[in-house]
Amino acid sequence: MENEYDRYDCMRYELFETLIPAMLYKGTEKERDEFFGFLKQDGKIFIHDMYQTLCEDDGLPYPYENSDFEVRIFERGGVNILQILLPPYNPNISDILRVYLLFAKSDDSRDTRRYFMIKRFKDGKIFILYANPECEKLLGEELTEHTGDMEYEYWRLVRSYAETILLDMRENKGNSKTKPK
């Protein structure tokens, strides 16, 4: 039986499900901020160059042009959304359709960043997938019934982002020591 995926599919997975979350969450604060800055300033070329480097490292011809990737930043409900639109996906495998980095300023004026993917599974169902700061992927809300409704997708992402921030706040509150009054 032949594999339904090829080396390009593996690289797409490696870049968008493994490397980018690790670069956003791991390393020093300065490294994370630099990576985030590159995505914000010239994300289209940055993503293109990262993918091209992966292809070169694997000895594969690079199949894309700069125009095959799109990066935009917009806002919904006070949350900034950095959207990365990817070239067409392989419909024969579970594959990533789009990726998002949501961020907002926190009380200490630092960006609170979270990484999400929109993934279409082999059975045709589409879900939000959240990569948490430990780089674990957690299955989120199903979007199958709303395929193509980008506003619905954006607002579901904002809701998922808010839920992750609230969960973090609850966990941190439970871990912090309270001072007696």
Side-chain angles (χ1 to χ4, degrees):
M1 184 170 130
E2 280 186 47
N3 288 336
E4 294 176 339
Y5 57 90
D6 62 20
R7 289 174 64 191
Y8 291 105
D9 296 327
C10 292
M11 277 189 282
R12 186 173 168 121
Y13 169 84
E14 182 180 355
L15 179 60
F16 295 105
E17 285 197 46
T18 305
L19 289 175
I20 290 177
M23 294 170 106
L24 288 168
Y25 294 130
K26 305 294 181 188
T28 67
E29 187 174 313
K30 182 181 180 197
E31 290 168 335
R32 293 189 312 265
D33 288 346
E34 280 180 1
F35 181 74
F36 182 57
F38 290 141
L39 284 175
K40 281 174 50 177
Q41 290 169 359
D42 209 357
K44 181 179 185 170
I45 292 170
F46 187 58
I47 293 295
H48 174 272
D49 291 350
M50 287 176 64
Y51 204 110
Q52 186 172 18
T53 300
L54 285 175
C55 286
E56 289 170 1
D57 289 350
D58 278 12
L60 293 173
Y62 185 63
Y64 301 117
E65 302 291 325
N66 272 347
S67 60
D68 290 326
F69 295 94
E70 191 62 44
V71 175
R72 355 181 273 137
I73 298 176
F74 51 95
E75 178 268 335
R76 291 293 182 280
V79 176
N80 297 298
I81 301 173
L82 185 146
Q83 176 189 55
I84 302 173
L85 299 174
L86 309 178
Y89 62 96
N90 181 346
N92 299 318
I93 65 169
S94 296
D95 206 355
I96 304 153
L97 304 178
R98 291 170 289 286
V99 296
Y100 294 93
L101 178 60
L102 279 69
F103 58 101
K105 295 279 184 210
S106 61
D107 291 340
D108 60 4
S109 75
R110 302 263 323 134
D111 286 319
T112 304
R113 305 172 194 144
R114 296 293 182 267
Y115 186 74
F116 297 89
M117 295 156 273
I118 305 302
K119 188 162 184 169
R120 181 193 166 277
F121 289 89
K122 235 175 130 168
D123 64 4
K125 294 187 181 213
I126 299 170
F127 285 87
I128 295 174
L129 205 62
Y130 167 56
N132 69 13
E134 289 76 38
C135 296
E136 300 166 322
K137 284 133 200 115
L138 306 171
L139 191 64
E141 186 170 342
E142 183 175 357
L143 301 174
T144 309
E145 297 297 317
H146 301 277
T147 301
D149 184 346
M150 297 310 291
E151 282 301 315
Y152 184 87
E153 185 172 300
Y154 301 151
W155 284 105
R156 291 296 158 224
L157 284 161
V158 167
R159 180 174 147 187
S160 296
Y161 173 81
E163 288 171 352
T164 67
I165 300 302
L166 286 172
L167 185 60
D168 287 350
M169 289 170 63
R170 284 186 189 133
E171 287 177 3
N172 288 336
K173 186 176 183 182
N175 292 332
S176 65
K177 297 185 183 204
T178 55
K179 295 179 185 176
K181 292 183 180 181

